[in-house]
Amino acid sequence: MRSLLLALLASTSLMTPVFTTPAQAAEPADPVVAADTEARTPLAELGKDDPYRWMEEIEGTRAMDWARAQNAATLPKLQGDPRYAALEAQALAILNAKDRVPGVSFAGDGALRNFWQDADHVRGLWRRTTLESYRTVAPTWETILDIDALSKAENANWVFKGAQCLPPHDTRCLVTLSNGGKDAVTIREFDTATKAFVPGGFDLPEGKQNVTWLDQDTLLVAREWEPGQVTKSSYPYVVKSWKRGTPLASAKELYRGTPDDVSAGPYVVRDSDGAVQAVMAYRGVSFFESETYLLTDQGAAKLPFPLKSSIQGYVSGQLVLSLEQDWAEKGFKTGDLISFDLKALKADPAKAQAALVLRPTAKQSVEQVTTTHGKLIVGLLDNVTGVAHAYTHGAQGWTHQKFDLPANSTISLGSTSEKDERLFVSVTGYLAPTTYWLADAGSLKLEQVKASPARFDASTHVVEQFEATSTDGTKIPYFVVRPKAVKYDGQAPTLLYAYGGFQVSMTPAYSGVMGKLWLERGGTYVVANIRGGGEFGPAWHDAALKANRQKAYDDFYAVSQDLIDRKITSPRHLGIMGGSNGGLLMGVALTQRPELYNAVVVQVPLFDMIRYSQIGAGASWVGEYGDPAIPSERAVIAKYDPYSNLKAGQRYPEVFIETSTKDDRVHPAHARKAAARLEELGYPVLYYENIDGGHAASANLAETARRQALEYVYLSKKLMD
């Protein structure tokens, strides 16, 4: 659930940071009155005097007319710049390049599958090849499903959102299609053997839904079964079992959460042969808290897991969980990876004993967990540098071995094989194109099977790491990618990126477009590891939750000021960018410290924080920001809420605000209101609303190239000219 709601991110990290440990940094929250002692403010009262409430109707005539008028005013200003055409062409050439390395996933039928987009296949091809062919310079691909052809045949704006296939053979799949990129999707049964949708097969109409296979003739489905039967966050909370050949309305209820939850959904535990070992339901009490229920013929039995814990996988009879809170009675700590014997857990949940798999140090964080046929694979951040280990469960408990992958890089775990111990791993860095490795978790053998071509001249730049001291004394690491010949005279055009929320870590990644459109043209790129992220485990995130939200913003200003103090750049040449939660960060920086920046790119943002819980999926994020309906929590939010803190007579730079009409996660009204309010106060503002594209603001590569070219033209005008 958490991954569904997270945002469009960028990259960071390469060297060893110097910092205050998360345990020291996670100070107690400022005291607030307990929520259950306060009278909640009626939701209708929140923002009732807002003159731009009409912008919350996503595709209302008035709102769409306003958005089109804004586009008509903004696009000529940016696209008319003499640099625009070349930047867009360069971005599109990189995004559409035929020599891009296609990422692949193992399928149970022995094939490797891939989803591919380029200039000839704008919406994309779902296709397959063999491992032998994939190893070659020019693999032979067989198309499974052509999304461009499907869209044309159905006169639809389909965006492919993936396919969930039934193990062990993976030939029957649930293909997920989105209209223009929305989170609300349609789901259809597809046969990869015949390469066609199954006649009379499973077909779920559009909605925000969570669906999984139980067996070939049964789906477990969480969706809006009756009009309005969704949570306040707009997600389903009723789980049912749907049998093949029966009407959807006849599905049998298995579990029901409540409208006050974030969501509820099904979870099927399978062994590596595809056999079902347990059927579960999760209840998302809040964004970070959930309950897990074992579903049996006798009903739903709650499992004794901490609220802040997540199932990570099943291997060798062990159900693996990560902990985001201490479990004192069991002797476990925040950040631990633990396991239960599933048979013992099912037999008597109260008496089942957990075993420690891994306890990260203060400088480590568990980033990824996956499984092969018989191994548990763990991807760690160690001092914001990636490492990967293979864990084996035996009579002596858990043992592990380390993969000998390139150091000082981000290591991402890819698709795993359920038939043996193989998995794909990618390795990347700011200036190093991504390499793709086939790893064997049994032998630890590594084979580099692919390497991405360089998209820009990285020889002129260098990566460094520094630290800034935040308001409370916490050391905040940040990474600088700069020209080797830069003079420390405050003149370097510098783009600073950060996110700072939802325990999302900013780790280094190669971006051909950013490198070509910014670095190669003399720009400096900076990423800050501010609190709210997950770089140093759950405590680094918890340090900026709710009442402590200002700490993330203070961290960001500390990095900004440190860049200025080191004379890497100056306010005249310093620009900032962030999306979603990072877009909120941009809005706060604009209203709290506008004197630090000359350019602000606000991507698909949260902005109206007094009404955020009533817009889009906002109610699901109360665990991150607090509840505006509770007076004491609203008082904290109001101090940093960008929308209500916009004022006349300030030193705001001209901002560039972007959103997408089809974004049904972070509602476009946030961006619309921000722009309208700035204009009302007399400030110049650039605004672009992509009519398609969902939360990533791009439904295809051409739209992505246009958005990126617009951003870098804006940054060039503000920071380079």
Side-chain angles (χ1 to χ4, degrees):
M1 183 63 197
R2 197 180 305 172
S3 63
L4 172 67
L5 300 172
L6 295 181
L8 166 72
L9 306 174
S11 52
T12 180
S13 126
L14 258 179
M15 304 179 184
T16 304
V18 182
F19 64 104
T20 302
T21 66
Q24 294 170 307
E27 301 174 357
D30 296 332
V32 295
V33 181
D36 59 3
T37 68
E38 295 183 71
R40 294 176 61 88
T41 302
L43 295 179
E45 294 296 308
L46 297 177
K48 67 177 182 179
D49 297 326
D50 180 5
Y52 299 112
R53 287 273 291 271
W54 53 271
M55 290 183 164
E56 295 176 14
E57 186 180 353
I58 287 187
E59 297 191 74
T61 301
R62 186 181 179 189
M64 291 306 300
D65 287 347
W66 178 90
R68 291 188 178 99
Q70 291 290 320
N71 285 353
T74 292
L75 290 177
K77 294 178 182 177
L78 297 178
Q79 292 179 327
D81 186 282
R83 289 164 290 204
Y84 176 81
L87 293 180
E88 183 185 33
Q90 289 171 340
L92 190 59
I94 291 170
L95 295 170
N96 279 330
K98 299 289 187 180
D99 61 351
R100 297 189 336 262
V101 174
V104 292
S105 59
F106 289 101
D109 61 3
L112 298 180
R113 295 177 183 169
N114 160 262
F115 182 69
W116 179 262
Q117 293 174 303
D118 59 27
D120 300 322
H121 309 95
V122 176
R123 299 179 188 276
L125 297 174
W126 188 30
R127 58 188 191 170
R128 61 190 169 204
T129 189
T130 64
L131 177 58
E132 291 72 25
S133 183
Y134 183 66
R135 285 189 171 107
T136 66
V137 174
T140 300
W141 295 97
E142 177 189 1
T143 298
I144 303 172
L145 178 62
D146 185 330
I147 306 302
D148 293 88
L150 179 68
S151 296
K152 182 178 180 180
E154 299 184 351
N155 191 29
N157 184 20
W158 290 132
V159 175
F160 183 71
K161 289 287 186 106
Q164 180 189 158
C165 302
L166 177 66
H169 303 298
D170 294 338
T171 56
R172 284 297 178 98
C173 302
L174 299 174
V175 168
T176 301
L177 299 167
S178 166
N179 174 18
K182 295 188 291 186
D183 283 349
V185 295
T186 62
I187 300 175
R188 303 182 193 173
E189 185 179 5
F190 188 88
D191 189 330
T192 62
T194 63
K195 298 188 288 187
F197 289 103
V198 177
F202 291 115
D203 192 339
L204 287 155
E206 183 179 83
K208 290 185 177 181
Q209 46 198 326
N210 189 330
V211 182
T212 189
W213 292 97
L214 180 60
D215 56 48
Q216 184 168 328
D217 296 315
T218 314
L219 298 184
L220 303 183
V221 181
R223 71 185 323 272
E224 183 178 4
W225 297 98
E226 300 173 5
Q229 194 181 62
V230 292
T231 66
K232 294 176 181 178
S233 303
S234 75
Y235 293 101
Y237 64 90
V238 178
V239 180
K240 295 186 179 184
S241 172
W242 184 27
K243 292 290 185 181
R244 182 182 299 279
T246 64
L248 183 58
S250 70
K252 178 183 177 182
E253 183 170 320
L254 299 178
Y255 177 78
R256 177 180 291 255
T258 77
D260 290 327
D261 296 335
V262 171
S263 68
Y267 184 80
V268 177
V269 179
R270 300 178 187 273
D271 64 20
S272 56
D273 296 320
V276 175
Q277 302 300 305
V279 180
M280 300 179 180
Y282 72 82
R283 175 192 173 209
V285 180
S286 71
F287 193 90
F288 300 104
E289 298 175 315
S290 62
E291 296 174 346
T292 305
Y293 292 82
L294 184 66
L295 303 183
T296 68
D297 293 339
Q298 288 72 46
K302 184 179 176 183
L303 295 176
F305 301 156
L307 282 174
K308 290 187 175 182
S309 61
S310 305
I311 294 175
Q312 297 292 333
Y314 174 77
V315 66
S316 302
Q318 301 294 303
L319 188 70
V320 180
L321 280 76
S322 61
L323 300 181
E324 285 80 49
Q325 69 177 75
D326 287 351
W327 197 359
E329 59 268 36
K330 299 288 187 179
F332 298 120
K333 296 183 178 297
T334 300
D336 284 355
L337 200 63
I338 65 173
S339 69
F340 283 91
D341 181 279
L342 183 57
K343 288 183 179 179
L345 184 67
K346 291 167 62 177
D348 192 339
K351 293 183 180 178
Q353 297 297 309
L356 181 68
V357 180
L358 165 67
R359 173 163 293 163
T361 69
K363 296 183 180 181
Q364 292 179 329
S365 173
V366 175
E367 285 292 292
Q368 289 180 279
V369 180
T370 190
T371 61
T372 58
H373 181 79
K375 303 288 184 179
L376 179 73
I377 315 299
V378 180
L380 284 171
L381 277 187
D382 194 342
N383 288 340
V384 202
T385 295
V387 293
H389 296 265
Y391 282 77
T392 305
H393 188 266
Q396 304 302 315
W398 290 97
T399 58
H400 68 92
Q401 294 176 291
K402 182 180 177 181
F403 288 101
D404 186 20
L405 287 161
N408 297 325
S409 303
T410 291
I411 294 172
S412 298
L413 308 179
S415 176
T416 61
S417 171
E418 295 184 342
K419 299 182 181 299
D420 51 42
E421 310 306 341
R422 294 176 300 166
L423 71 151
F424 286 102
V425 180
S426 64
V427 179
T428 188
Y430 283 121
L431 301 178
T434 303
T435 54
Y436 295 82
W437 302 71
L438 182 62
D440 189 302
S443 65
L444 299 184
K445 179 182 176 181
L446 295 167
E447 174 194 357
Q448 183 178 314
V449 290
K450 296 287 181 182
S452 298
R455 302 300 180 189
F456 64 94
D457 182 4
S459 66
T460 60
H461 277 65
V462 65
V463 178
E464 297 175 313
Q465 187 179 41
F466 301 103
E467 62 170 358
T469 303
S470 195
T471 306
D472 62 0
T474 301
K475 304 301 182 182
I476 310 300
Y478 66 94
F479 293 86
V480 176
V481 188
R482 64 166 178 83
K484 294 177 180 177
V486 72
K487 297 179 180 178
Y488 287 88
D489 57 4
Q491 300 300 303
T494 300
L495 174 60
L496 169 61
Y497 188 94
Y499 186 74
F502 296 95
Q503 204 173 318
V504 173
S505 302
M506 296 286 95
T507 56
Y510 186 86
S511 170
V513 173
M514 186 276 291
K516 190 70 176 179
L517 274 59
W518 187 248
L519 295 180
E520 195 173 83
R521 296 171 56 239
T524 292
Y525 183 63
V526 181
V527 180
N529 298 112
I530 64 178
R531 283 173 288 184
E535 289 87 346
F536 307 119
W540 195 248
H541 167 242
D542 293 348
L545 276 180
K546 292 187 174 182
N548 285 327
R549 199 74 197 172
Q550 186 63 41
K551 293 182 185 296
Y553 308 136
D554 290 343
D555 293 354
F556 188 69
Y557 308 146
V559 172
S560 303
Q561 189 63 57
D562 203 59
L563 289 167
I564 296 166
D565 291 345
R566 292 178 188 273
K567 295 187 177 181
I568 293 173
T569 190
S570 62
R572 166 66 183 82
H573 297 285
L574 178 58
I576 56 177
M577 178 190 288
S580 195
N581 173 74
L584 170 61
L585 171 63
M586 298 300 101
V588 177
L590 175 69
T591 53
Q592 290 187 353
R593 297 297 303 276
E595 76 282 0
L596 291 175
Y597 314 108
N598 198 40
V600 183
V601 181
V602 188
Q603 303 166 314
V604 290
L606 283 155
F607 212 91
D608 181 357
M609 295 303 291
I610 300 302
R611 282 186 52 77
Y612 88 90
S613 61
Q614 301 174 66
I615 306 174
S620 63
W621 309 320
V622 167
E624 180 82 7
Y625 304 115
D627 189 345
I630 297 172
S632 62
E633 296 188 10
R634 184 170 68 253
V636 173
I637 294 170
K639 291 180 180 178
Y640 67 79
D641 168 48
Y643 189 49
S644 61
N645 282 297
L646 288 171
K647 295 179 175 62
Q650 304 301 304
R651 296 172 55 188
Y652 300 151
E654 182 182 34
V655 301
F656 180 27
I657 301 172
E658 305 169 286
T659 191
S660 169
T661 307
K662 298 295 187 184
D663 191 346
D664 53 352
R665 192 182 313 174
V666 177
H667 196 294
H670 285 282
R672 294 169 178 173
K673 289 182 178 186
R677 179 63 175 152
L678 281 164
E679 286 193 330
E680 176 193 329
L681 293 170
Y683 297 103
V685 60
L686 297 168
Y687 179 90
Y688 172 59
E689 183 167 325
N690 184 10
I691 304 304
D692 295 309
H695 190 49
S698 51
N700 57 61
L701 299 180
E703 291 175 2
T704 300
R706 176 168 62 173
R707 174 180 57 80
Q708 292 175 326
L710 292 171
E711 291 168 348
Y712 286 107
V713 163
Y714 164 79
L715 291 166
S716 298
K717 289 166 70 74
K718 297 298 180 182
L719 308 180
M720 289 182 169
D721 291 351

